[in-house]
Amino acid sequence: ITWIIGLSKPFMHINDFALSYRDIILIVGGLFLVGKSTSEIHKRIEGTEHHKEPKKLSMASALLQILILDLVFSLDSIITAIGLSDVLLTMIIAIVISLGIMLLFMRHVSEFIQKHPAMKILAISFLIMIGTVLVIEGLHVHVPKGYIYVSMAFALGIEFLNMWVRKKSPAHPAAKVPGAALMGKGGKKIGV
């Protein structure tokens, strides 16, 4: 993190735009988050993640894939921390806390996400937003972090409200809507 933050000295000028290694890392990292998150949403919506037959891996191949995934997710969390804060200590604390929570509550988080798949989409959407902010900041446009926090809190609050409403609703939500009709076989109305 310190190395990334310290790369702010410009090495190239294009007209009035001074480009530093930090700008390149923010732009590439932001595009990485947007691309990775978009492909994850695409897999979930299109269902391509369930149609592939698993291949048998050798021990070395499995270890290599685990190592690469760990590296990608570590980079992912560091880039996300940089996108959410300008304070180095806050970034370090955020990464350590998030890692600790994931290690302690991995099974519970997995069960929660399996039970509420919209939360996974919401979290992936947050990564798209953070990636976009990183690209914008790499282009020297400052985005106040408060806007990011408020929009995330709002979206999370709406999703918790949706979960609460779904929990309270009956098996046929259309029955609760005034004027809605339940349709039987052949398109006949069976209730109003």
Side-chain angles (χ1 to χ4, degrees):
I1 292 173
T2 306
W3 177 73
I4 290 172
I5 292 172
L7 295 174
S8 57
K9 183 180 178 185
F11 70 91
M12 180 178 13
H13 295 276
I14 304 169
N15 293 330
D16 290 336
F17 185 77
L19 187 65
S20 68
Y21 289 110
R22 181 179 185 271
D23 296 333
I24 292 173
I25 291 170
L26 287 176
I27 292 168
V28 171
L31 292 173
F32 167 76
L33 281 180
V34 170
K36 180 178 157 211
S37 302
T38 303
S39 71
E40 283 297 316
I41 287 177
H42 180 74
K43 285 179 192 175
R44 298 217 20 109
I45 290 173
E46 296 295 322
T48 56
E49 62 185 16
H50 299 295
H51 296 301
K52 295 179 182 175
E53 290 186 26
K55 294 189 268 181
K56 292 187 178 185
L57 299 174
S58 68
M59 184 63 143
S61 177
L63 287 174
L64 181 64
Q65 284 188 15
I66 290 169
L67 182 65
I68 290 170
L69 282 174
D70 283 346
L71 181 64
V72 166
F73 283 114
S74 297
L75 180 65
D76 182 24
S77 63
I78 290 169
I79 291 170
T80 302
I82 291 170
L84 288 175
S85 178
D86 295 323
V87 181
L88 179 62
L89 183 61
T90 303
M91 293 179 209
I92 293 169
I93 290 171
I95 292 169
V96 170
I97 288 174
S98 65
L99 179 63
I101 288 171
M102 287 306 293
L103 290 175
L104 286 174
F105 299 105
M106 193 178 327
R107 185 174 55 103
H108 299 294
V109 169
S110 177
E111 289 170 2
F112 181 79
I113 288 173
Q114 291 300 323
K115 191 175 178 183
H116 307 286
M119 278 300 211
K120 183 174 184 182
I121 297 293
L122 185 62
I124 294 170
S125 300
F126 288 166
L127 289 177
I128 291 174
M129 181 173 63
I130 292 166
T132 303
V133 169
L134 288 173
V135 171
I136 291 169
E137 294 222 346
L139 297 172
H140 300 182
V141 177
H142 178 68
V143 179
K145 303 297 188 238
Y147 292 144
I148 300 168
Y149 300 144
V150 169
S151 61
M152 287 178 155
F154 180 76
L156 194 58
I158 294 296
E159 184 52 38
F160 280 130
L161 183 62
N162 279 332
M163 287 168 48
W164 180 72
V165 167
R166 282 191 297 265
K167 193 176 185 181
K168 298 274 184 192
S169 68
H172 293 88
K176 284 286 217 182
V177 178
L182 295 175
M183 304 301 268
K185 290 183 180 176
K188 293 183 178 183
K189 287 185 183 179
I190 58 174
V192 177

